[in-house]
Amino acid sequence: MNNGGLLVAGTTSDAGKSVVTAGICRWLVRQGVKVAPFKAQNMSLNSFVTRDGAEIGRAQAMQAQACRVEPTALMNPVLLKPGGERSSQVVLLGKPVGELSARGYHGGRQQKLLGTVLDCLAELRGTYDAVICEGAGSPAEINLRRTDIVNMGIARNAGLPVLVVGDIDRGGVFASFFGTVALLSPEDQELVAGFLVNKFRGDVSLLEPGLGMLHGLTGRHTYGVLPFRHGLGIDEEDGMGVPPRERSRAGGSGSLRETVAESDAAPPVGEDVLRVAVCAIPLMSNFTDVDALAAEPGVVVRFVDRPEELADADLVVVPGTRGTVRALEWLHERGLAGALRRRAAEQRPVLGVCGGFQILGEHIEDDVESRRGRVDGLGVLPVRVRFAREKTLARPVGEALGERVEGYEIHHGVAEVTGGEAFLDGCRAGQTWGTHWHGSLESDGFRRAFLREVAAAAGRRFVPAPDTSFAALREERLDRLGDLIEQHADTDALWRLIESGAPQGLPFIPPGAPA
């Protein structure tokens, strides 16, 4: 296979594009294929820092792990980080280049990025045997097709065959498949090779008549029916649109929370469980930081938005956010600010990560993100924060609680620590901890040491499991995704598609795209 490629599109957002892409990547690499992931444009607050200091979507970083390669900025050249309902920070080739409204971006800037996107894809295709690309939303967004650089825009320019994924668990999958094709132009339709059904429950034989009818209507093959499985997601792209009460260990489509929900029957190692409450602040970023906590037997993680929900928590986490000042206001509006101050005064554990760390400090000087100037923080950590125009992007390594720690930093805020005990790049005051480091809890030894401290402060007879490996859990997840593709997809047909492109002579389905 030389320079093979495929675009995984979806009938909707959250149809399963990210997990299918990761599964195909893991299946290919197990066949000895040198493969890389690619997503031209990603909108996400859940990002990652590569070893050379570039910021990309976490989904592409995890897909790179599925490929067993180091993630690079080439794999996600455009990242949009929402700062509200109408504007986003544009990150190009791993570096922020400014803020744009949705109208400004789709009005011209997006199309200008097409050349950069195609260059990145060409470089990957020149290096790897195959590149598995992920689309965004639906390829049939007729209002956005003119400026599209992530779905049919990239497929047409790069000559990529397209596989359309549909989530049958939501219902209406046949109409979604047919309608997706029928709203594309003849030139775009020529590249849509077929379909992949995701999250099917029940007897596949009952679905087969419908698949036959779909083939008759569209002339296109269904490349597989993937069964519904709990806990098969990878790091989610975003959590902005999910209500706080649904962002729980048992909810959402990705991250390790689903896997842990399946293992609830396993007893904790010690006599007690440990309860972790995560404040579901606005514009929450890198909420996957708590997945490593949820991976521990006996640790119960939930997202909360009311002060009374902190009462029985042994640890409260204030996570990162793209809107630190807005999140601080929200905490006051919800009554959570006072509850956090009381916890700190009572020496009950609180952990602030990145934006959460900044919120816990004395004050914030922000002329960059919110442009609100000086704003008082919660005042529970001896820290003063000033927002710099240059974003810090780093992959630090250090030590805390006698254990080696690795993490990554993505922030404009510069912290001046004026007291307390040193904790990574932040500080600790009593049982309140703060750091800019994302991902620190993925370091197994440090996570266990931290949980022992929390349990002791909370008076819980909780004991961390001595053998939980977060990295091994991720690898197991990726292997399960690869198994799904190998066992439930037509891999011979998929291989031909990646190697040779879309079949010739696919019929046009009217009416096509509007003029």
Side-chain angles (χ1 to χ4, degrees):
M1 182 186 297
N2 292 310
N3 300 320
L6 174 68
L7 176 72
V8 178
T11 56
T12 62
S13 296
D14 204 31
K17 296 182 292 291
S18 294
V19 295
V20 167
T21 299
I24 292 173
C25 287
R26 179 48 62 101
W27 162 66
L28 284 172
V29 82
R30 294 195 307 205
Q31 310 308 307
V33 178
K34 187 180 178 184
V35 60
F38 180 79
K39 185 162 185 172
Q41 171 193 296
N42 199 347
M43 177 171 280
S44 179
L45 289 174
N46 210 16
S47 58
F48 182 76
V49 179
T50 66
R51 293 209 176 275
D52 59 354
E55 185 179 8
I56 65 172
R58 272 198 72 99
Q60 280 61 66
M62 189 62 78
Q63 288 162 357
Q65 185 177 346
C67 297
R68 297 180 179 143
V69 298
E70 273 292 322
T72 72
L74 294 174
M75 297 170 184
N76 178 206
V78 181
L79 174 64
L80 304 178
K81 303 195 72 175
E85 294 183 359
R86 298 184 179 180
S87 68
S88 294
Q89 183 180 66
V90 181
V91 179
L92 179 62
L93 293 174
K95 304 298 180 184
V97 294
E99 298 272 340
L100 275 179
S101 67
R103 181 178 293 274
Y105 185 68
H106 291 288
R109 180 62 184 272
Q110 183 181 33
Q111 188 65 19
K112 292 178 182 178
L113 295 174
L114 179 60
T116 300
V117 163
L118 290 172
D119 288 345
C120 291
L121 178 56
E123 186 171 342
L124 288 174
R125 296 185 79 182
T127 304
Y128 292 88
D129 299 328
V131 178
I132 308 303
C133 307
E134 180 188 343
S138 162
E141 304 288 358
I142 55 179
N143 57 315
L144 301 177
R145 176 62 184 90
R146 182 177 60 84
T147 57
D148 170 46
I149 65 169
V150 66
N151 289 306
M152 301 312 300
I154 191 78
R156 180 101 70 88
N157 279 279
L160 293 171
V162 177
L163 182 68
V164 180
V165 177
D167 179 356
I168 197 170
D169 198 49
R170 294 183 173 193
V173 74
F174 291 117
S176 297
F177 282 146
F178 183 87
T180 296
V181 179
L183 281 177
L184 299 177
S185 69
E187 296 81 4
D188 286 349
Q189 287 194 25
E190 289 176 0
L191 295 172
V192 179
F195 314 107
L196 186 74
V197 177
N198 192 28
K199 300 182 185 177
F200 179 71
R201 304 173 189 253
D203 185 347
V204 176
S205 66
L206 298 176
L207 191 66
E208 288 172 353
L211 299 178
M213 295 176 200
L214 183 65
H215 183 269
L217 289 166
T218 66
R220 287 161 173 83
H221 180 61
T222 296
Y223 284 76
V225 178
L226 307 185
F228 186 96
R229 293 285 188 270
H230 286 287
L232 284 179
I234 60 174
D235 285 2
E236 295 179 63
E237 288 189 347
D238 220 338
M240 288 181 62
V242 184
R245 300 198 174 283
E246 295 178 19
R247 283 193 297 245
S248 65
R249 293 171 54 213
S253 62
S255 80
L256 286 171
R257 289 188 292 279
E258 285 181 309
T259 294
V260 179
E262 288 184 345
S263 63
D264 279 349
V269 175
E271 296 180 42
D272 289 342
V273 299
L274 207 62
R275 295 173 176 83
V276 179
V278 185
C279 295
I281 57 180
L283 297 173
M284 189 180 352
S285 62
N286 291 77
F287 51 90
T288 45
D289 282 336
V290 300
D291 286 348
L293 294 177
E296 285 286 347
V299 175
V300 180
V301 177
R302 68 184 188 274
F303 288 83
V304 304
D305 63 349
R306 296 193 308 223
E308 59 268 27
E309 294 176 303
L310 305 188
D312 67 343
D314 302 306
L315 169 67
V316 173
V317 178
V318 187
T321 174
R322 172 80 168 86
T324 304
V325 171
R326 172 69 189 100
L328 180 58
E329 290 173 341
W330 181 88
L331 289 169
H332 282 289
E333 291 165 4
R334 304 292 297 187
L336 286 159
L340 287 167
R341 284 184 175 130
R342 287 190 295 274
R343 280 191 68 93
E346 294 166 0
Q347 298 297 306
R348 302 180 66 199
V350 176
L351 171 65
V353 180
C354 200
F357 166 42
Q358 297 165 8
I359 284 168
L360 296 175
E362 296 171 0
H363 68 253
I364 299 165
E365 293 182 18
D366 181 10
D367 295 317
V368 176
E369 194 174 77
S370 68
R371 300 180 183 178
R372 293 281 298 277
R374 179 167 170 150
V375 177
D376 288 337
L378 297 187
V380 296
L381 283 177
V383 176
R384 298 165 186 167
V385 176
R386 175 185 54 83
F387 272 58
R389 297 202 174 275
E390 291 296 317
K391 181 186 284 191
T392 297
L393 297 169
R395 288 278 294 272
V397 177
E399 183 176 305
L401 303 179
E403 299 285 349
R404 186 176 187 273
V405 188
E406 295 185 32
Y408 58 99
E409 294 183 70
I410 307 170
H411 55 92
H412 283 280
V414 178
E416 178 191 358
V417 178
T418 61
E421 302 175 37
F423 175 62
L424 302 178
D425 73 331
C427 67
R428 172 187 183 179
Q431 292 300 325
T432 301
W433 317 62
T435 178
H436 273 133
W437 291 21
H438 294 289
S440 63
L441 294 166
E442 295 177 18
S443 298
D444 296 329
F446 166 70
R447 182 180 65 254
R448 288 192 276 269
F450 177 70
L451 289 176
R452 283 192 289 269
E453 291 258 353
V454 169
R460 298 287 186 188
R461 289 170 293 183
F462 168 85
V463 179
D467 55 355
T468 300
S469 167
F470 188 71
L473 285 172
R474 278 187 163 160
E475 276 296 303
E476 179 186 341
R477 169 73 59 86
L478 293 168
D479 276 332
R480 291 173 67 194
L481 290 175
D483 292 343
L484 264 191
I485 297 298
E486 188 169 336
Q487 295 167 12
H488 300 281
D490 184 345
T491 52
D492 289 340
L494 195 58
W495 186 280
R496 289 192 298 271
L497 186 63
I498 294 168
E499 187 176 33
S500 304
Q504 297 296 307
L506 293 170
F508 170 71
I509 308 302

